[in-house]
PDB file of all heavy atoms in Angstrom:
ATOM      1  N   GLU A  98      -3.295  35.694 -47.107  1.00  0.00           N
ATOM      2  CA  GLU A  98      -2.657  36.852 -47.736  1.00  0.00           C
ATOM      3  C   GLU A  98      -2.367  36.598 -49.207  1.00  0.00           C
ATOM      4  O   GLU A  98      -2.471  37.503 -50.043  1.00  0.00           O
ATOM      5  CB  GLU A  98      -1.359  37.206 -47.001  1.00  0.00           C
ATOM      6  CG  GLU A  98      -1.558  37.838 -45.633  1.00  0.00           C
ATOM      7  CD  GLU A  98      -2.044  36.852 -44.588  1.00  0.00           C
ATOM      8  OE1 GLU A  98      -1.855  35.627 -44.790  1.00  0.00           O
ATOM      9  OE2 GLU A  98      -2.635  37.285 -43.580  1.00  0.00           O
ATOM     10  N   GLU A  99      -1.979  35.362 -49.542  1.00  0.00           N
ATOM     11  CA  GLU A  99      -1.647  35.057 -50.929  1.00  0.00           C
ATOM     12  C   GLU A  99      -2.882  35.038 -51.822  1.00  0.00           C
ATOM     13  O   GLU A  99      -2.760  35.080 -53.050  1.00  0.00           O
ATOM     14  CB  GLU A  99      -0.917  33.715 -51.018  1.00  0.00           C
ATOM     15  CG  GLU A  99       0.494  33.746 -50.463  1.00  0.00           C
ATOM     16  CD  GLU A  99       1.265  32.470 -50.785  1.00  0.00           C
ATOM     17  OE1 GLU A  99       1.060  31.912 -51.868  1.00  0.00           O
ATOM     18  OE2 GLU A  99       2.070  32.042 -49.941  1.00  0.00           O
ATOM     19  N   GLY A 100      -4.056  34.961 -51.218  1.00  0.00           N
ATOM     20  CA  GLY A 100      -5.280  34.948 -52.001  1.00  0.00           C
ATOM     21  C   GLY A 100      -5.836  36.334 -52.259  1.00  0.00           C
ATOM     22  O   GLY A 100      -6.959  36.471 -52.744  1.00  0.00           O
ATOM     23  N   LYS A 101      -5.060  37.373 -51.964  1.00  0.00           N
ATOM     24  CA  LYS A 101      -5.525  38.747 -52.125  1.00  0.00           C
ATOM     25  C   LYS A 101      -4.741  39.475 -53.215  1.00  0.00           C
ATOM     26  O   LYS A 101      -3.562  39.221 -53.413  1.00  0.00           O
ATOM     27  CB  LYS A 101      -5.383  39.520 -50.804  1.00  0.00           C
ATOM     28  CG  LYS A 101      -6.232  38.961 -49.671  1.00  0.00           C
ATOM     29  CD  LYS A 101      -5.976  39.707 -48.372  1.00  0.00           C
ATOM     30  CE  LYS A 101      -6.816  39.149 -47.244  1.00  0.00           C
ATOM     31  NZ  LYS A 101      -6.547  39.828 -45.950  1.00  0.00           N
ATOM     32  N   VAL A 102      -5.424  40.385 -53.874  1.00  0.00           N
ATOM     33  CA  VAL A 102      -4.793  41.273 -54.843  1.00  0.00           C
ATOM     34  C   VAL A 102      -5.022  42.697 -54.348  1.00  0.00           C
ATOM     35  O   VAL A 102      -6.143  43.077 -53.982  1.00  0.00           O
ATOM     36  CB  VAL A 102      -5.393  41.099 -56.254  1.00  0.00           C
ATOM     37  CG1 VAL A 102      -4.847  42.159 -57.201  1.00  0.00           C
ATOM     38  CG2 VAL A 102      -5.072  39.705 -56.787  1.00  0.00           C
ATOM     39  N   TYR A 103      -3.948  43.495 -54.324  1.00  0.00           N
ATOM     40  CA  TYR A 103      -4.002  44.861 -53.803  1.00  0.00           C
ATOM     41  C   TYR A 103      -3.921  45.853 -54.975  1.00  0.00           C
ATOM     42  O   TYR A 103      -2.986  45.805 -55.763  1.00  0.00           O
ATOM     43  CB  TYR A 103      -2.842  45.098 -52.837  1.00  0.00           C
ATOM     44  CG  TYR A 103      -2.797  44.117 -51.685  1.00  0.00           C
ATOM     45  CD1 TYR A 103      -2.220  42.858 -51.856  1.00  0.00           C
ATOM     46  CD2 TYR A 103      -3.329  44.438 -50.447  1.00  0.00           C
ATOM     47  CE1 TYR A 103      -2.175  41.943 -50.806  1.00  0.00           C
ATOM     48  CE2 TYR A 103      -3.283  43.540 -49.395  1.00  0.00           C
ATOM     49  CZ  TYR A 103      -2.702  42.292 -49.580  1.00  0.00           C
ATOM     50  OH  TYR A 103      -2.665  41.388 -48.535  1.00  0.00           O
ATOM     51  N   LYS A 104      -4.903  46.743 -55.047  1.00  0.00           N
ATOM     52  CA  LYS A 104      -4.933  47.729 -56.135  1.00  0.00           C
ATOM     53  C   LYS A 104      -4.973  49.141 -55.553  1.00  0.00           C
ATOM     54  O   LYS A 104      -5.601  49.390 -54.538  1.00  0.00           O
ATOM     55  CB  LYS A 104      -6.165  47.515 -57.025  1.00  0.00           C
ATOM     56  CG  LYS A 104      -6.221  46.157 -57.706  1.00  0.00           C
ATOM     57  CD  LYS A 104      -7.242  46.142 -58.835  1.00  0.00           C
ATOM     58  CE  LYS A 104      -8.628  46.495 -58.355  1.00  0.00           C
ATOM     59  NZ  LYS A 104      -9.632  46.410 -59.452  1.00  0.00           N
ATOM     60  N   PHE A 105      -4.299  50.052 -56.250  1.00  0.00           N
ATOM     61  CA  PHE A 105      -4.326  51.460 -55.872  1.00  0.00           C
ATOM     62  C   PHE A 105      -4.874  52.258 -57.041  1.00  0.00           C
ATOM     63  O   PHE A 105      -4.309  52.254 -58.133  1.00  0.00           O
ATOM     64  CB  PHE A 105      -2.922  51.949 -55.505  1.00  0.00           C
ATOM     65  CG  PHE A 105      -2.848  53.417 -55.184  1.00  0.00           C
ATOM     66  CD1 PHE A 105      -3.829  54.039 -54.430  1.00  0.00           C
ATOM     67  CD2 PHE A 105      -1.791  54.183 -55.650  1.00  0.00           C
ATOM     68  CE1 PHE A 105      -3.759  55.396 -54.138  1.00  0.00           C
ATOM     69  CE2 PHE A 105      -1.697  55.535 -55.362  1.00  0.00           C
ATOM     70  CZ  PHE A 105      -2.690  56.147 -54.604  1.00  0.00           C
ATOM     71  N   ILE A 106      -6.002  52.928 -56.804  1.00  0.00           N
ATOM     72  CA  ILE A 106      -6.638  53.742 -57.835  1.00  0.00           C
ATOM     73  C   ILE A 106      -6.619  55.194 -57.366  1.00  0.00           C
ATOM     74  O   ILE A 106      -7.062  55.504 -56.261  1.00  0.00           O
ATOM     75  CB  ILE A 106      -8.085  53.277 -58.087  1.00  0.00           C
ATOM     76  CG1 ILE A 106      -8.088  51.815 -58.563  1.00  0.00           C
ATOM     77  CG2 ILE A 106      -8.776  54.175 -59.118  1.00  0.00           C
ATOM     78  CD1 ILE A 106      -9.464  51.212 -58.691  1.00  0.00           C
ATOM     79  N   LYS A 107      -6.075  56.073 -58.204  1.00  0.00           N
ATOM     80  CA  LYS A 107      -5.972  57.492 -57.871  1.00  0.00           C
ATOM     81  C   LYS A 107      -6.585  58.310 -58.995  1.00  0.00           C
ATOM     82  O   LYS A 107      -6.222  58.131 -60.156  1.00  0.00           O
ATOM     83  CB  LYS A 107      -4.501  57.884 -57.665  1.00  0.00           C
ATOM     84  CG  LYS A 107      -4.307  59.328 -57.238  1.00  0.00           C
ATOM     85  CD  LYS A 107      -2.825  59.613 -57.007  1.00  0.00           C
ATOM     86  CE  LYS A 107      -2.612  61.057 -56.576  1.00  0.00           C
ATOM     87  NZ  LYS A 107      -1.167  61.359 -56.368  1.00  0.00           N
ATOM     88  N   ASP A 108      -7.507  59.180 -58.627  1.00  0.00           N
ATOM     89  CA  ASP A 108      -8.197  60.024 -59.612  1.00  0.00           C
ATOM     90  C   ASP A 108      -8.805  59.191 -60.736  1.00  0.00           C
ATOM     91  O   ASP A 108      -8.773  59.573 -61.909  1.00  0.00           O
ATOM     92  CB  ASP A 108      -7.231  61.066 -60.195  1.00  0.00           C
ATOM     93  CG  ASP A 108      -6.681  62.003 -59.133  1.00  0.00           C
ATOM     94  OD1 ASP A 108      -7.415  62.287 -58.164  1.00  0.00           O
ATOM     95  OD2 ASP A 108      -5.515  62.434 -59.269  1.00  0.00           O
ATOM     96  N   GLY A 109      -9.331  58.042 -60.374  1.00  0.00           N
ATOM     97  CA  GLY A 109      -9.993  57.184 -61.343  1.00  0.00           C
ATOM     98  C   GLY A 109      -9.062  56.362 -62.206  1.00  0.00           C
ATOM     99  O   GLY A 109      -9.520  55.605 -63.072  1.00  0.00           O
ATOM    100  N   GLU A 110      -7.753  56.474 -61.976  1.00  0.00           N
ATOM    101  CA  GLU A 110      -6.772  55.744 -62.781  1.00  0.00           C
ATOM    102  C   GLU A 110      -6.071  54.686 -61.940  1.00  0.00           C
ATOM    103  O   GLU A 110      -5.627  54.973 -60.821  1.00  0.00           O
ATOM    104  CB  GLU A 110      -5.720  56.701 -63.355  1.00  0.00           C
ATOM    105  CG  GLU A 110      -6.262  57.710 -64.348  1.00  0.00           C
ATOM    106  CD  GLU A 110      -6.639  57.060 -65.675  1.00  0.00           C
ATOM    107  OE1 GLU A 110      -6.047  56.011 -66.015  1.00  0.00           O
ATOM    108  OE2 GLU A 110      -7.519  57.596 -66.361  1.00  0.00           O
ATOM    109  N   LEU A 111      -5.967  53.483 -62.479  1.00  0.00           N
ATOM    110  CA  LEU A 111      -5.252  52.411 -61.796  1.00  0.00           C
ATOM    111  C   LEU A 111      -3.759  52.713 -61.770  1.00  0.00           C
ATOM    112  O   LEU A 111      -3.157  52.983 -62.808  1.00  0.00           O
ATOM    113  CB  LEU A 111      -5.495  51.076 -62.510  1.00  0.00           C
ATOM    114  CG  LEU A 111      -4.775  49.853 -61.919  1.00  0.00           C
ATOM    115  CD1 LEU A 111      -5.309  49.528 -60.537  1.00  0.00           C
ATOM    116  CD2 LEU A 111      -4.942  48.643 -62.853  1.00  0.00           C
ATOM    117  N   GLN A 112      -3.163  52.677 -60.587  1.00  0.00           N
ATOM    118  CA  GLN A 112      -1.738  52.961 -60.432  1.00  0.00           C
ATOM    119  C   GLN A 112      -0.885  51.696 -60.379  1.00  0.00           C
ATOM    120  O   GLN A 112       0.321  51.748 -60.614  1.00  0.00           O
ATOM    121  CB  GLN A 112      -1.504  53.772 -59.155  1.00  0.00           C
ATOM    122  CG  GLN A 112      -2.305  55.056 -59.083  1.00  0.00           C
ATOM    123  CD  GLN A 112      -1.971  56.012 -60.207  1.00  0.00           C
ATOM    124  OE1 GLN A 112      -0.802  56.343 -60.431  1.00  0.00           O
ATOM    125  NE2 GLN A 112      -2.995  56.473 -60.919  1.00  0.00           N
ATOM    126  N   GLY A 113      -1.506  50.580 -60.047  1.00  0.00           N
ATOM    127  CA  GLY A 113      -0.749  49.336 -59.974  1.00  0.00           C
ATOM    128  C   GLY A 113      -1.530  48.239 -59.271  1.00  0.00           C
ATOM    129  O   GLY A 113      -2.558  48.494 -58.630  1.00  0.00           O
ATOM    130  N   VAL A 114      -1.022  47.019 -59.419  1.00  0.00           N
ATOM    131  CA  VAL A 114      -1.638  45.837 -58.816  1.00  0.00           C
ATOM    132  C   VAL A 114      -0.543  45.039 -58.118  1.00  0.00           C
ATOM    133  O   VAL A 114       0.523  44.787 -58.701  1.00  0.00           O
ATOM    134  CB  VAL A 114      -2.321  44.949 -59.886  1.00  0.00           C
ATOM    135  CG1 VAL A 114      -2.841  43.662 -59.268  1.00  0.00           C
ATOM    136  CG2 VAL A 114      -3.454  45.718 -60.556  1.00  0.00           C
ATOM    137  N   GLY A 115      -0.779  44.636 -56.871  1.00  0.00           N
ATOM    138  CA  GLY A 115       0.231  43.897 -56.131  1.00  0.00           C
ATOM    139  C   GLY A 115      -0.319  42.626 -55.506  1.00  0.00           C
ATOM    140  O   GLY A 115      -1.534  42.485 -55.332  1.00  0.00           O
ATOM    141  N   PHE A 116       0.585  41.721 -55.181  1.00  0.00           N
ATOM    142  CA  PHE A 116       0.191  40.467 -54.539  1.00  0.00           C
ATOM    143  C   PHE A 116       1.348  39.950 -53.699  1.00  0.00           C
ATOM    144  O   PHE A 116       2.509  40.308 -53.915  1.00  0.00           O
ATOM    145  CB  PHE A 116      -0.224  39.430 -55.583  1.00  0.00           C
ATOM    146  CG  PHE A 116       0.810  39.173 -56.652  1.00  0.00           C
ATOM    147  CD1 PHE A 116       1.735  38.150 -56.519  1.00  0.00           C
ATOM    148  CD2 PHE A 116       0.857  39.967 -57.791  1.00  0.00           C
ATOM    149  CE1 PHE A 116       2.687  37.917 -57.497  1.00  0.00           C
ATOM    150  CE2 PHE A 116       1.810  39.737 -58.779  1.00  0.00           C
ATOM    151  CZ  PHE A 116       2.727  38.715 -58.625  1.00  0.00           C
ATOM    152  N   ILE A 117       1.035  39.108 -52.739  1.00  0.00           N
ATOM    153  CA  ILE A 117       2.036  38.517 -51.838  1.00  0.00           C
ATOM    154  C   ILE A 117       2.215  37.049 -52.189  1.00  0.00           C
ATOM    155  O   ILE A 117       1.241  36.330 -52.426  1.00  0.00           O
ATOM    156  CB  ILE A 117       1.585  38.635 -50.363  1.00  0.00           C
ATOM    157  CG1 ILE A 117       1.555  40.108 -49.942  1.00  0.00           C
ATOM    158  CG2 ILE A 117       2.524  37.849 -49.443  1.00  0.00           C
ATOM    159  CD1 ILE A 117       0.942  40.325 -48.564  1.00  0.00           C
ATOM    160  N   ARG A 118       3.470  36.625 -52.213  1.00  0.00           N
ATOM    161  CA  ARG A 118       3.765  35.211 -52.406  1.00  0.00           C
ATOM    162  C   ARG A 118       4.840  34.779 -51.413  1.00  0.00           C
ATOM    163  O   ARG A 118       5.803  35.511 -51.162  1.00  0.00           O
ATOM    164  CB  ARG A 118       4.257  34.933 -53.840  1.00  0.00           C
ATOM    165  CG  ARG A 118       3.182  35.040 -54.897  1.00  0.00           C
ATOM    166  CD  ARG A 118       2.124  33.960 -54.751  1.00  0.00           C
ATOM    167  NE  ARG A 118       1.103  34.070 -55.782  1.00  0.00           N
ATOM    168  CZ  ARG A 118      -0.022  34.772 -55.666  1.00  0.00           C
ATOM    169  NH1 ARG A 118      -0.243  35.455 -54.544  1.00  0.00           N
ATOM    170  NH2 ARG A 118      -0.904  34.803 -56.635  1.00  0.00           N
ATOM    171  N   SER A 119       4.673  33.576 -50.865  1.00  0.00           N
ATOM    172  CA  SER A 119       5.652  32.988 -49.941  1.00  0.00           C
ATOM    173  C   SER A 119       5.997  31.597 -50.460  1.00  0.00           C
ATOM    174  O   SER A 119       5.093  30.809 -50.752  1.00  0.00           O
ATOM    175  CB  SER A 119       5.091  32.889 -48.526  1.00  0.00           C
ATOM    176  OG  SER A 119       4.795  34.160 -48.003  1.00  0.00           O
ATOM    177  N   ARG A 120       7.278  31.312 -50.565  1.00  0.00           N
ATOM    178  CA  ARG A 120       7.717  30.033 -51.107  1.00  0.00           C
ATOM    179  C   ARG A 120       8.933  29.505 -50.353  1.00  0.00           C
ATOM    180  O   ARG A 120       9.755  30.277 -49.854  1.00  0.00           O
ATOM    181  CB  ARG A 120       8.077  30.168 -52.598  1.00  0.00           C
ATOM    182  CG  ARG A 120       6.909  30.543 -53.501  1.00  0.00           C
ATOM    183  CD  ARG A 120       5.920  29.397 -53.645  1.00  0.00           C
ATOM    184  NE  ARG A 120       4.875  29.704 -54.597  1.00  0.00           N
ATOM    185  CZ  ARG A 120       3.718  30.286 -54.297  1.00  0.00           C
ATOM    186  NH1 ARG A 120       3.484  30.660 -53.047  1.00  0.00           N
ATOM    187  NH2 ARG A 120       2.813  30.517 -55.228  1.00  0.00           N
ATOM    188  N   ILE A 121       9.046  28.182 -50.287  1.00  0.00           N
ATOM    189  CA  ILE A 121      10.214  27.531 -49.697  1.00  0.00           C
ATOM    190  C   ILE A 121      11.102  27.030 -50.830  1.00  0.00           C
ATOM    191  O   ILE A 121      10.608  26.534 -51.843  1.00  0.00           O
ATOM    192  CB  ILE A 121       9.795  26.359 -48.795  1.00  0.00           C
ATOM    193  CG1 ILE A 121       9.055  26.888 -47.557  1.00  0.00           C
ATOM    194  CG2 ILE A 121      11.009  25.533 -48.356  1.00  0.00           C
ATOM    195  CD1 ILE A 121       8.538  25.794 -46.644  1.00  0.00           C
ATOM    196  N   GLY A 122      12.405  27.153 -50.675  1.00  0.00           N
ATOM    197  CA  GLY A 122      13.320  26.582 -51.650  1.00  0.00           C
ATOM    198  C   GLY A 122      13.990  27.588 -52.549  1.00  0.00           C
ATOM    199  O   GLY A 122      14.724  27.209 -53.467  1.00  0.00           O
ATOM    200  N   TYR A 123      13.748  28.874 -52.314  1.00  0.00           N
ATOM    201  CA  TYR A 123      14.405  29.912 -53.098  1.00  0.00           C
ATOM    202  C   TYR A 123      15.511  30.534 -52.254  1.00  0.00           C
ATOM    203  O   TYR A 123      15.450  30.556 -51.030  1.00  0.00           O
ATOM    204  CB  TYR A 123      13.414  30.993 -53.528  1.00  0.00           C
ATOM    205  CG  TYR A 123      12.402  30.526 -54.535  1.00  0.00           C
ATOM    206  CD1 TYR A 123      11.205  29.964 -54.118  1.00  0.00           C
ATOM    207  CD2 TYR A 123      12.632  30.649 -55.899  1.00  0.00           C
ATOM    208  CE1 TYR A 123      10.252  29.536 -55.036  1.00  0.00           C
ATOM    209  CE2 TYR A 123      11.704  30.235 -56.828  1.00  0.00           C
ATOM    210  CZ  TYR A 123      10.512  29.672 -56.395  1.00  0.00           C
ATOM    211  OH  TYR A 123       9.578  29.246 -57.306  1.00  0.00           O
TER     212      TYR A 123
END
Side-chain angles (χ1 to χ4, degrees):
E98 288 72 21
E99 289 190 35
K101 297 176 180 178
V102 173
Y103 303 82
K104 299 195 302 183
F105 176 41
I106 299 174
K107 183 178 180 181
D108 299 328
E110 295 288 333
L111 179 66
Q112 304 299 307
V114 175
F116 54 93
I117 294 172
R118 289 294 180 269
S119 298
R120 296 289 185 270
I121 293 177
Y123 291 89

